Structure formats: structure tokens, C-alpha cells
Amino acid sequence: MVRIFNYKKRETEDGKEFFILELQGGIEMVKSKETGKFYVTARKASISSTFDELTCQALIGTELPGKVEKVESEAYEYVIKDTGEVITLTHRFEYMEEEKATTPKVEMSKLSFNDVMKDSQDENSFSSNGQLQH
């Protein structure tokens, strides 16, 4: 699941205004390459909308099925806001529908209890000799 946590106003090349919704996935643990210590983070992505500003405000906190996933992209420069450092990235984060997400889904077994127990010697007995043995 992802949650809408914010929205922002954007402008098209021809000057028309629209709003994007900012999405955040669940928290995940990441190990620092420099210190070897873990920290918690969440992946974020944005998605265009056709909503007006009031609707976008009302949608904050709404959960949607899907994930925010890392996607390879052409290299681009990114400025780290806190330090001003310019780095080159070759990925971005995008919202993926639940059925397109790469995390495999766990499927329920089609076996029933009776299917599992059909090979037991006596369906009405806990043990084969009538005595509890360890």
C-alpha cells in the first residue's frame, strides 16, 4: 500500500496549472554503505492528477493499492538540499499498480485439511497404535 502524503501545484509548458499527488510507500530498513548501521526510510514518488486543489487536500492520508519501486533511468544530476552536493543518479522511484509490483504475491494453498490428512492411517485416531508416543 502507498499513502498520499502531500500535493503540489505544477505548470505545463503552455502555462496550464495542474496538481501532482505525492505518494509514500511503507517503511523499510536500509544499511548504510559508509557506517554499516541501519536506518529507516520510505520510498516516495509523485503522480499527476486531474483534481483541483480542494480535492487534493481531501485526499491526503488516503491509501492506494500498489508500491513505490526503484526504476532504472538515464543518468541525471541531483542536488542534495541539506549539503548542496551534486550527485549523479541512474534511477527514480515510480508508483506501480499492485499487480505489476515485482514483489511476489503469496498464494493460499488449494489443499483442504482433508486433503492433507487423507494419507493418515486412521482418520479417527491421533496415533496409529492408540497410544501417545514421543
Side-chain angles (χ1 to χ4, degrees):
M1 296 292 273
V2 299
R3 178 172 282 146
I4 299 170
F5 75 94
N6 198 12
Y7 70 94
K8 289 187 179 173
K9 187 185 296 187
R10 296 283 193 246
E11 195 172 294
T12 63
E13 291 176 4
D14 62 354
K16 186 176 178 183
E17 290 183 347
F18 68 100
F19 292 92
I20 62 162
L21 300 173
E22 294 184 321
L23 309 175
Q24 181 173 315
I27 63 171
E28 57 186 89
M29 299 298 293
V30 178
K31 190 173 188 178
S32 170
K33 291 178 183 176
E34 292 183 20
T35 66
K37 294 184 178 182
F38 284 95
Y39 62 94
V40 67
T41 189
R43 295 179 179 186
K44 296 177 183 176
S46 61
I47 190 166
S48 299
S49 79
T50 59
F51 301 127
D52 61 16
E53 187 167 10
L54 288 175
T55 304
C56 290
Q57 285 176 346
L59 289 172
I60 292 176
T62 302
E63 289 188 343
L64 304 170
K67 294 187 123 201
V68 175
E69 292 196 354
K70 187 176 184 177
V71 177
E72 296 300 316
S73 69
E74 290 187 33
Y76 64 97
E77 290 185 345
Y78 177 78
V79 178
I80 299 173
K81 294 177 186 175
D82 294 339
T83 64
E85 179 184 2
V86 178
I87 60 174
T88 301
L89 298 176
T90 58
H91 69 274
R92 64 182 185 278
F93 292 101
E94 287 186 2
Y95 168 74
M96 297 288 182
E97 297 173 277
E98 197 165 295
E99 59 270 2
K100 292 184 180 178
T102 58
T103 304
K105 292 183 181 178
V106 177
E107 293 186 25
M108 185 184 296
S109 173
K110 293 180 179 26
L111 293 175
S112 70
F113 178 77
N114 290 334
D115 291 335
V116 173
M117 297 304 294
K118 73 179 178 186
D119 293 330
S120 68
Q121 294 177 359
D122 182 358
E123 292 182 23
N124 298 320
S125 152
F126 178 75
S127 69
S128 60
N129 66 0
Q131 297 177 1
L132 177 62
Q133 294 181 350
H134 295 289

